[in-house]
Amino acid sequence: MSDANPFESLQEQVDDAAAYLDVESDVIERLKHPERVLELNLTVELDDGSLARFKGFRSQFNGDRGPYKGGIRYHPNVSRDEVKALSGWMAYKCAIVDIPLGGGKGGIIIDPTEYSEAELERLTRAYATELRPLVGPDRDIPAPDVNTGQREMNWFKDTYETLERTTAPGVITGKAIASGGSEGRVEATGRSTMFAAREAFDYLGQDISDATVAVQGYGNAGSIAARLIEDLGATVVAVSDSSGGVYDPDGIDARAVKSHKNETGSVTGYEGTEELTNEELLTLDVDLLVPAALENAIDADLAEDVEADVIAEAANGPLTPDADDVLTDRDVLVVPDILANAGGVTVSYFEWVQNRQRFSWSEERVNDELETVITSAFDDLVDAYESKGLPNFRTAAYVVAAQRIADAYAESGNWP
Ligand code: GLU
């Protein structure tokens, strides 16, 4: 764990790519800062009748390629700089997978486990009410992130539609199916991590079905990535969550350990496994490591001890830039977050398209189109990596993505 500032990490990642870009330095400056950040104090009535104040944010990083797009996080460690970084990662993520969206992110400083469902509904509706002038299907389209899901998205959509006196399901994505959600959206982040890992093993000339896998973080992204990578024939030997991890060199059933977590609240104590810490999991001698928790899981020190050949980042920002340098030197292939977890926003884009068409796609169509998007983005990344002799896959992803944003900005001309 490191306390690196995620916004500084994002800026460093952009600077690393800038050296290889055909973009003027003043435009690079634009690509390192959000266009605007809203900071809110939300006053919400608790169930006992008292009032509580919650700080919230929405950062609109870049809209050159389309409406701002990105999730809403409910977590005690949310901060202005974290939201700014996450919004920037969204802009680059949408650009590398080439969907016509910009980058945004929101967050509220809260531990949602300490509040009732009714309190969380009032908070979400208060947040949606404050954001109403800034969001909309053509302006800014929120989505789920850490500790938010279909329930919060449905409340947000209902608040917006009620206040606007309209129906506009495309104002937010990640909704339940009955509220205009898309088939395949819940699994989409983990599914893209599986595709990204599979492509990385292919690139190395290795077969992922022989791989051993460790997954740090067993929420939506981690548990689904584990299940789908297991379905390719790989062996998941360790998984963890914020309470700790479990290890079995003979393999852990990815679905069964998820059921255990649903019942008990944690993966720990799953039968037939040894306990291990998150740090021990991250340095296990496995073929594939999937960090699927929060930012800064691997710093430079820990990176020295990483034994995996491939890292597929399901979380946003799990490696510090210093860790990246160490892993580049040590020839560990890192498939960056902005590609490996881009399935979430890609299927959000499909959801938004379906909402606008008022027409639903089958799950098969969603998954097939997602596979096409992720594999062609991977090919674009590899092309840049090889043709420009770039140091690693992260810089290659930023080179492709930043060029696309800069081109859209340049082509839009000047506003007097
Ligand atoms: N929160 C997800 C991410 O970090 C999904 C965002 C979206 O669907 O807009 O990519």
Side-chain angles (χ1 to χ4, degrees):
M1 252 320 253
S2 128
D3 57 1
N5 178 324
F7 185 57
E8 288 170 13
S9 299
L10 164 80
Q11 294 193 317
E12 206 171 321
Q13 291 161 344
V14 177
D15 279 334
D16 286 346
Y20 303 95
L21 279 169
D22 182 18
V23 176
E24 299 298 329
S25 59
D26 45 359
V27 176
I28 295 293
E29 199 55 26
R30 173 181 175 78
L31 301 183
K32 284 170 59 180
H33 295 275
E35 290 174 20
R36 65 185 71 77
V37 184
L38 177 71
E39 182 173 324
L40 297 160
N41 285 294
L42 301 166
T43 303
V44 176
E45 188 179 330
L46 301 183
D47 292 342
D48 66 5
S50 66
L51 299 178
R53 180 180 65 87
F54 298 93
K55 197 173 274 295
F57 305 92
R58 182 77 185 168
S59 170
Q60 298 182 330
F61 193 89
N62 185 282
D64 294 336
R65 300 180 70 260
Y68 309 101
K69 183 85 190 82
I72 304 166
R73 176 173 294 200
Y74 287 2
H75 196 278
N77 295 345
V78 162
S79 67
R80 192 182 178 92
D81 272 359
E82 185 193 50
V83 172
K84 281 161 65 177
L86 289 162
S87 69
W89 286 326
M90 287 310 305
Y92 291 100
K93 193 180 300 188
C94 293
I96 180 70
V97 292
D98 211 4
I99 55 178
L101 296 168
K105 199 76 163 204
I108 299 178
I109 304 173
I110 183 175
D111 178 354
T113 62
E114 291 179 3
Y115 295 89
S116 70
E117 180 162 12
E119 289 166 340
L120 293 172
E121 178 169 355
R122 287 196 287 278
L123 174 68
T124 305
R125 289 189 186 278
Y127 184 67
T129 302
E130 288 295 324
L131 286 191
R132 179 171 68 116
L134 294 176
V135 297
D138 294 308
R139 288 198 177 118
D140 183 353
I141 308 145
D145 196 76
V146 174
N147 291 333
T148 61
Q150 292 181 338
R151 186 181 66 170
E152 289 74 15
M153 304 305 110
N154 301 343
W155 290 331
F156 193 109
K157 169 191 161 249
D158 181 67
T159 307
Y160 180 83
E161 290 185 333
T162 303
L163 294 171
E164 292 282 329
R165 298 192 60 75
T166 188
T167 57
V171 68
I172 194 159
T173 58
K175 303 176 293 292
I177 301 285
S179 295
S182 175
E183 297 290 348
R185 175 62 186 82
V186 170
E187 296 81 16
T189 306
R191 188 173 291 277
S192 65
T193 305
M194 176 272 287
F195 289 138
R198 187 193 68 191
E199 296 300 301
F201 276 76
D202 273 2
Y203 175 78
L204 292 174
Q206 293 176 22
D207 190 350
I208 196 167
S209 62
D210 299 331
T212 53
V213 188
V215 181
Q216 186 229 7
Y218 221 60
N220 173 273
S223 65
I224 290 168
R227 157 155 68 87
L228 296 175
I229 292 168
E230 186 181 75
D231 288 348
L232 296 177
T235 307
V236 177
V237 296
V239 304
S240 68
D241 57 29
S242 53
S243 310
V246 289
Y247 173 63
D248 181 350
D250 296 328
I252 298 174
D253 183 322
R255 289 172 175 80
V257 72
K258 180 64 177 168
S259 306
H260 172 84
K261 181 175 165 72
N262 290 346
E263 279 159 27
T264 66
S266 171
V267 298
T268 55
Y270 179 63
E271 61 176 24
T273 57
E274 282 169 45
E275 307 273 308
L276 83 180
T277 65
N278 270 283
E279 284 211 348
E280 286 164 342
L281 178 141
L282 293 165
T283 53
L284 270 181
D285 188 3
V286 288
D287 301 310
L288 170 64
L289 178 62
V290 179
L294 295 170
E295 300 91 77
N296 296 339
I298 302 180
D299 61 14
D301 281 348
L302 203 66
E304 295 284 359
D305 297 327
V306 165
E307 296 281 343
D309 300 324
V310 176
I311 297 179
E313 295 182 325
N316 288 310
L319 273 54
T320 66
D322 291 349
D324 252 340
D325 293 343
V326 171
L327 293 166
T328 301
D329 285 348
R330 298 189 54 229
D331 274 335
V332 178
L333 185 68
V334 177
V335 190
D337 46 6
I338 60 170
L339 173 61
N341 73 29
V345 74
T346 302
V347 176
S348 275
Y349 167 59
F350 297 159
E351 180 174 330
W352 178 78
V353 168
Q354 293 170 73
N355 291 157
R356 307 195 70 130
Q357 294 176 329
R358 307 270 172 172
F359 178 80
S360 300
W361 300 2
S362 68
E363 186 174 359
E364 193 185 1
R365 176 170 176 192
V366 168
N367 291 346
D368 285 352
E369 300 228 15
L370 174 61
E371 181 166 12
T372 304
V373 167
I374 299 297
T375 52
S376 59
F378 189 91
D379 292 346
D380 291 347
L381 182 162
V382 169
D383 273 356
Y385 175 73
E386 290 182 344
S387 66
K388 294 180 196 285
L390 299 175
N392 56 40
F393 273 17
R394 188 181 317 277
T395 296
Y398 276 89
V399 164
V400 175
Q403 190 69 55
R404 285 181 181 152
I405 300 174
D407 287 349
Y409 178 64
E411 287 162 11
S412 64
N414 291 314
W415 185 251

